[in-house]
Amino acid sequence: MILPPATLGMLGGGQLGRFFVAAAHEMGYKVWVLDPDPHSPAGLIADRHLQAGYDDFAALDTLADACAAVTTEFENVPAETLDYLAKFVPVRPGAAAVAVCQNRIAEKSFLRDNGLPHGPFAVIQSDADIAVADASLFPAILKVARFGYDGKGQARVATAAEALHAFHRFKGEACVLEAMLPLDCEVSVVLARDENGAVSTFPTVENQHSRGILDVSIAPARVAPAIEAEARRCAALIAARLGFIGTLAVEFFVTGGRLVVNEMAPRPHNSGHHTIDACVASQYEQQVRALCGLPLGDTTQHSASAMVNLLGELWFEGGEPHGRYREPDWSILHAVPGLKLHLYAKHHARHGRKMGHFTVVGSDAADVLAKALAARAAIGVQDA
Ligand code: ADP
Ligand code: MG
């Protein structure tokens, strides 16, 4: 067991890393963050911010020397970086598990090979792959295999001709072509798995997206108990098959009353932010615990919750691209009972950039959702 006042290493310095730093500090650990961005939200509050690239081996040596164990908040850390660090210090999750989650082709193949439920798809590496793709996949979504997030690197395509056009627009990068599924709703499961294989899942969360970006998360999800149980079982199975150690998130589609895995994130997840305010242990505390070999914490959700993302457009008057730049009036949110505001201290707001979120907690699920949606409108979040 790694115990305080040990120093932990974090690869990546966004808001997920920032919440990890906060949880680790709360528990008595020190944290060093490696991130090239001088304004990194996690770097700002870390005990030390190594401002360097993930391929800077001198910086990786410094990190490995200082830290008792290293984790990540960012799935696109190169697998070579994780492998290199693992020669000197425990790295959790390991490179192999992260590699599956950072490439949609590897991810879909993993699901297929393990008999896990997934939607129809084709691997697209050349024009010819589109020509022979099954016509039943259309209408479809073409997604770049690597480095997509928040709906970026995706194109909705009605026909093979449109898919070809989009593939060229993505400069011929490897892609997956997924059948567009009719969604009843979207849900996710965040879990932690420790080095002994023990798994602890949080209750299933219901996610509403707007323009490809998470907008509102409702927990617990308003789905049938059988779906909730199946989602948790399936997520735990994925973690086991990946040999995963740390906090993992699995996104699902519910389509025709059935669960289908959409994608996995080898780190805490936006749809798990509410665990800070609504659960006994947060997804970030679980990440610390799994990393340090502590027993996993209690994932009981003690309050119903609704979480709302605050994107950069809120900083522009009227939500307009050229609106006046100004700080939103936070006093509006602070006046709402049961509302917890979290801001990430990002240097500058941009449209679509995740700047903060709030969670409304309470005893009545319908009441917290109504309050969260009213607060969302009051602060000025525009509907898609
Ligand atoms: P990201 O990495 O950007 O989160 P996702 O693959 O999760 O990418 O896609 C973002 C959102 O787009 C999903 O949450 C869902 O709302 C919608 N979407 C993606 N793929 C499909 C699909 N095959 N069928 C229907 N909707 C989809
Ligand atoms: Mg997603």
Side-chain angles (χ1 to χ4, degrees):
M1 256 187 227
I2 298 167
L3 292 168
T7 298
L8 308 176
M10 168 55 78
L11 297 168
Q15 63 271 18
L16 302 173
R18 183 176 168 97
F19 285 122
F20 173 89
V21 173
H25 278 170
E26 198 64 38
M27 296 166 78
Y29 295 93
K30 295 185 175 63
V31 186
W32 285 27
V33 167
L34 183 118
D35 187 304
D37 177 4
H39 305 294
S40 142
L44 289 175
I45 63 166
D47 295 275
R48 181 146 174 217
H49 175 195
L50 296 172
Q51 196 193 314
Y54 302 108
D55 54 356
D56 180 332
F57 289 93
L60 296 178
D61 287 341
T62 307
L63 189 73
D65 276 347
C67 298
V70 175
T71 187
T72 176
E73 61 112 46
F74 173 56
E75 63 265 40
N76 291 321
V77 169
E80 308 83 76
T81 300
L82 300 174
D83 275 333
Y84 180 76
L85 285 168
K87 291 188 206 155
F88 312 108
V89 62
V91 176
R92 295 162 172 170
V98 173
V100 171
C101 304
Q102 70 186 191
N103 183 316
R104 292 189 195 274
I105 297 172
E107 191 171 50
K108 292 273 193 272
S109 309
F110 165 86
L111 294 172
R112 186 190 51 212
D113 297 346
N114 285 284
L116 293 156
H118 58 83
F121 73 99
V123 173
I124 306 296
Q125 277 160 330
S126 67
D127 292 6
D129 292 333
I130 296 179
V132 301
D134 202 312
S136 67
L137 288 173
F138 295 97
I141 307 191
L142 187 72
K143 302 180 179 177
V144 293
R146 292 217 54 187
F147 302 116
Y149 69 98
D150 288 347
K152 293 191 177 64
Q154 299 191 7
R156 300 190 173 209
V157 292
T159 61
E162 284 184 28
L164 193 62
H165 186 74
F167 182 57
H168 290 168
R169 204 153 44 76
F170 294 149
K171 301 190 165 51
E173 260 183 75
C175 288
V176 295
L177 184 69
E178 292 182 26
M180 183 72 131
L181 299 171
L183 305 184
D184 306 346
C185 67
E186 294 184 63
V187 299
S188 58
V189 172
V190 174
L191 63 76
R193 184 170 179 276
D194 72 15
E195 60 194 349
N196 304 314
V199 171
S200 186
T201 54
F202 287 98
T204 304
V205 180
E206 178 181 341
N207 301 315
Q208 297 176 351
H209 294 80
S210 174
R211 302 184 194 97
I213 308 180
L214 184 64
D215 181 16
V216 178
S217 284
I218 300 160
R222 298 168 297 178
V223 293
I227 294 274
E228 141 85 13
E230 179 59 15
R232 288 169 88 151
R233 195 192 66 80
C234 184
L237 186 60
I238 289 172
R241 291 285 163 84
L242 285 173
F244 196 88
I245 305 174
T247 294
L248 173 79
V250 181
E251 297 179 16
F252 297 89
F253 298 138
V254 184
T255 173
R258 215 178 112 248
L259 274 172
V260 165
V261 177
N262 170 25
E263 59 173 352
M264 292 97 77
R267 49 163 174 82
H269 194 257
N270 195 167
S271 71
H273 281 338
H274 70 287
T275 59
I276 298 170
D277 299 308
C279 296
V280 177
S282 75
Q283 61 173 347
Y284 307 99
E285 177 178 339
Q286 296 292 63
Q287 188 180 16
V288 174
R289 286 173 172 271
L291 179 63
C292 294
L294 311 182
L296 296 178
D298 180 353
T299 54
T300 302
Q301 189 172 344
H302 53 69
S303 300
S305 71
M307 189 267 339
V308 173
N309 265 344
L310 300 172
L311 304 181
E313 38 270 47
L314 198 54
W315 272 248
F316 295 82
E317 217 159 62
E320 299 291 338
H322 301 293
R324 189 172 65 90
Y325 191 88
R326 42 102 188 103
E327 194 71 18
D329 181 1
W330 302 123
S331 66
I332 294 170
L333 296 181
H334 287 304
V336 180
L339 186 150
K340 309 281 284 189
L341 176 63
H342 300 268
L343 296 173
Y344 310 151
K346 289 191 182 172
H347 189 57
H348 197 77
R350 266 189 280 107
H351 278 250
R353 190 174 199 199
K354 291 171 178 168
M355 300 296 292
H357 74 270
F358 65 79
T359 305
V360 178
V361 294
S363 52
D364 184 82
D367 181 52
V368 298
L369 178 57
K371 263 194 194 152
L373 294 179
R376 178 179 172 283
I379 192 70
V381 175
Q382 320 261 324
D383 284 309

